[in-house]
Amino acid sequence: QVQLVESGGGLVQPGGSLRLSCAASGSISSINAMGWYRQAPGKQRELVARFTRGGSTSYAESVKGRFTINMDNAKNTVYLQMNSLKPEDTAVYYCNADGAYTNNYRRWNLWGQGTQVTVSS
């Protein structure tokens, strides 16, 4: 089965940087898109950044110019470089991937377990 493993979360001071990674493994034929969403306490889950096969990217307005998403297709891994972090960036960040199984090429969509990002002095 396909599994997503997230890493890179933690505690950082305002203005600091973190780099999140999410690696997909298992019976993967292809990945159509991978991205990051976040959910702060009492708020809805929102798109942070998404990378679609072919190089198309989407960013939340609040992170444009500060965050950068990129993907290593050979490793089925997506990265989120987060710079100039603010306290309002504090949230659980969830990886999401959309792809197809090796065996039957059927589509799947999977969420990671989430990684905590805390921005505080």
Side-chain angles (χ1 to χ4, degrees), residues 25-46:
S25 62
S27 301
I28 301 171
S29 175
S30 63
I31 290 182
N32 298 315
M34 295 185 75
W36 290 94
Y37 296 72
R38 68 186 181 187
Q39 188 166 23
K43 299 182 66 177
Q44 294 182 325
R45 186 174 298 186
E46 64 174 351

Side-chain angles (χ1 to χ4, degrees), residues 68-88:
T68 302
I69 190 169
N70 65 282
M71 184 173 178
D72 184 337
N73 291 296
K75 296 182 178 180
N76 292 324
T77 300
V78 67
Y79 305 91
L80 183 67
Q81 179 66 46
M82 304 186 293
N83 299 324
S84 302
L85 283 162
K86 305 174 181 179
E88 45 264 52

Side-chain angles (χ1 to χ4, degrees), residues 2-3 18 20 22 24 39-40 48 51-54 57 61 64 74 85 95 97:
V2 177
Q3 183 181 21
L18 285 174
L20 305 182
C22 175
Q39 188 166 23
V48 178
F51 190 103
T52 300
R53 193 179 191 89
T57 59
E61 191 68 29
K64 286 183 178 178
L85 283 162
C95 179

